[in-house]
Amino acid sequence: MSRPFFTVLVTTYDRAQIVRRCVDSCLGQTFSDYEVVVVDDGSTDDTFSILERIDDPRLRVVAHESNRGIDPSRHTGVANSRGEWIVHIDSDDELFPYTLERLREFIDALPDGVRVLRTRLLWDDGRITPAFVPTGPIDYEGRLRAWEADRSDAGNCWHRSVFDLNPYFRDRRGAMEALRELNMSRVETTMYVPDVLAKVHTDAPNSWARGADASEVIPRLLREAPDMLWMMETTIDEHGAALAQHAPRTYRLFLRGASTQAFLLGDRRKGFRYGLAALRLGRLDALAWGTLALGLLGPWAVVRGTVAHRRLNRLRP
């Protein structure tokens, strides 16, 4: 069987109400040479049965027996993909009908050695991210500067050979993409695409980044804290010097994140060390001050503070 040009990779968990919107958008492309691989990460609702009922030879559904997390699901998806280029989309988002056709045009015009494309996104509130789009190929330092200028989400399209050097973290829970993105940027040249090629919806109640339901968020925060602290500390150890030089606000974000995760694990000494390091880079960092104050009260205070902060963010226009 010949290899398709694209694999569209979708990972999902308990998204029975919205997963069909995403998959239908992936199957409704004007470009024809592609497959869609959906990884169901141990859903407890009807997500898997809804996916199984979609009768399309381009679609393959792979299911985890239990919930393993974002990166393990993406690792499974790549392992079960056949495409030369892999386009990743979250299951609460959707592609436009012309997305793959336009990506193929950009890929055909890429300079030699470029294997990573980042695209722009339209959000359901009308925003477009990233607002800042560098021109031409960018290296590691350029990627850090771009991230410092605009850390908002972008679309992802990679040549499958990228995963040989930078696979997903198959045994880590939580959001590992920041570390993987930095590792990848050290060895890969990136091109930003000026076109808006996907739409982001914010209606998923169990969004990893935006969810604010305490009954869902609190157990996940505590379960993922060990791996999230590992990610933050590894990022600081391996990329801290470059971040401090080229992206100091982003570096402070990682220090603050390490402080939060350490406090969640009850490690006050480490939590204060990272929190004070963040404050040395920005004494007016209200979130760092808040994290230190909550850290004095213990892990549950940090958990409740995190949920409250998420709820405030959801109320902001």
Side-chain angles (χ1 to χ4, degrees), residues 247-259:
R249 289 185 296 113
T250 304
Y251 182 42
R252 190 172 76 233
L253 183 150
F254 281 107
L255 290 169
R256 193 173 67 215
S259 176

Side-chain angles (χ1 to χ4, degrees), residues 115-173:
R115 304 187 296 176
V116 178
L117 282 176
R118 308 302 302 271
T119 70
R120 303 181 82 190
L121 304 172
L122 171 66
W123 292 67
D124 54 10
D125 62 2
R127 289 178 298 131
I128 293 177
T129 63
F132 170 76
V133 178
T135 58
I138 59 172
D139 59 9
Y140 178 53
E141 291 184 8
R143 181 72 184 96
L144 293 178
R145 293 191 185 99
W147 208 3
E148 181 78 345
D150 190 342
R151 288 191 296 274
S152 54
D153 292 346
N156 301 294
C157 178
W158 305 286
H159 191 271
R160 69 177 306 111
S161 60
V162 168
F163 297 94
D164 295 336
L165 292 176
N166 289 282
Y168 286 111
F169 298 99
R170 62 186 302 177
D171 299 315
R172 298 284 182 179
R173 297 194 66 92

Side-chain angles (χ1 to χ4, degrees), residues 52-178:
E52 275 198 315
R53 290 197 294 270
I54 301 175
D55 184 18
D56 193 304
R58 296 169 297 177
L59 173 66
R60 286 187 292 132
V61 181
V62 182
H64 286 168
E65 293 184 3
S66 60
N67 182 256
R68 294 169 54 188
I70 299 170
D71 257 54
S73 297
R74 292 173 178 171
H75 187 280
T76 295
V78 174
N80 284 274
S81 70
R82 298 182 297 113
E84 182 179 352
W85 287 79
I86 296 175
V87 177
H88 176 257
I89 179 173
D90 291 331
S91 61
D92 45 351
D93 304 336
E94 61 180 317
L95 299 180
F96 298 119
Y98 52 82
T99 295
L100 296 186
E101 184 175 0
R102 192 75 179 109
L103 278 172
R104 177 61 193 263
E105 293 172 359
F106 280 111
I107 289 169
D108 287 344
L110 283 177
D112 290 342
V114 177
R115 304 187 296 176
V116 178
L117 282 176
R118 308 302 302 271
T119 70
R120 303 181 82 190
L121 304 172
L122 171 66
W123 292 67
D124 54 10
D125 62 2
R127 289 178 298 131
I128 293 177
T129 63
F132 170 76
V133 178
T135 58
I138 59 172
D139 59 9
Y140 178 53
E141 291 184 8
R143 181 72 184 96
L144 293 178
R145 293 191 185 99
W147 208 3
E148 181 78 345
D150 190 342
R151 288 191 296 274
S152 54
D153 292 346
N156 301 294
C157 178
W158 305 286
H159 191 271
R160 69 177 306 111
S161 60
V162 168
F163 297 94
D164 295 336
L165 292 176
N166 289 282
Y168 286 111
F169 298 99
R170 62 186 302 177
D171 299 315
R172 298 284 182 179
R173 297 194 66 92
M176 302 286 115
E177 53 258 63

Side-chain angles (χ1 to χ4, degrees), residues 221-222 224-233 236 254-276 291-292 294-296 298-300 302-303 306:
L221 286 173
L222 296 172
E224 295 176 353
D227 287 334
M228 289 297 293
L229 178 59
W230 172 86
M231 187 275 288
M232 297 288 181
E233 290 189 305
I236 291 166
F254 281 107
L255 290 169
R256 193 173 67 215
S259 176
T260 299
Q261 301 304 322
F263 281 133
L264 285 174
L265 291 169
D267 191 336
R268 291 186 177 182
R269 183 175 180 178
K270 186 175 286 187
F272 276 106
R273 186 173 83 239
Y274 285 122
L276 292 173
T291 299
L292 290 175
L294 292 171
L296 285 171
W300 276 102
V302 178
V303 167
T306 301

Side-chain angles (χ1 to χ4, degrees), residues 176-281:
M176 302 286 115
E177 53 258 63
L179 175 56
R180 182 178 176 274
E181 177 74 23
L182 290 169
N183 290 344
M184 184 171 61
S185 297
R186 272 199 302 213
V187 295
E188 301 288 348
T189 303
T190 300
M191 285 279 289
Y192 277 79
V193 172
D195 291 33
V196 177
L197 295 181
K199 185 172 184 179
V200 179
H201 293 277
T202 56
D203 55 355
N206 65 341
S207 167
W208 189 94
R210 298 180 294 273
D213 181 349
S215 64
E216 189 272 330
V217 173
I218 290 175
R220 195 189 69 217
L221 286 173
L222 296 172
R223 183 174 66 245
E224 295 176 353
D227 287 334
M228 289 297 293
L229 178 59
W230 172 86
M231 187 275 288
M232 297 288 181
E233 290 189 305
T234 303
T235 300
I236 291 166
D237 290 343
E238 296 184 0
H239 301 277
L243 285 166
Q245 181 178 359
H246 303 292
R249 289 185 296 113
T250 304
Y251 182 42
R252 190 172 76 233
L253 183 150
F254 281 107
L255 290 169
R256 193 173 67 215
S259 176
T260 299
Q261 301 304 322
F263 281 133
L264 285 174
L265 291 169
D267 191 336
R268 291 186 177 182
R269 183 175 180 178
K270 186 175 286 187
F272 276 106
R273 186 173 83 239
Y274 285 122
L276 292 173
L279 287 173
R280 283 194 290 271
L281 295 177

Side-chain angles (χ1 to χ4, degrees), residues 41-56:
D41 190 25
S43 291
T44 59
D45 63 3
D46 292 331
T47 297
F48 183 73
S49 61
I50 289 171
L51 293 169
E52 275 198 315
R53 290 197 294 270
I54 301 175
D55 184 18
D56 193 304

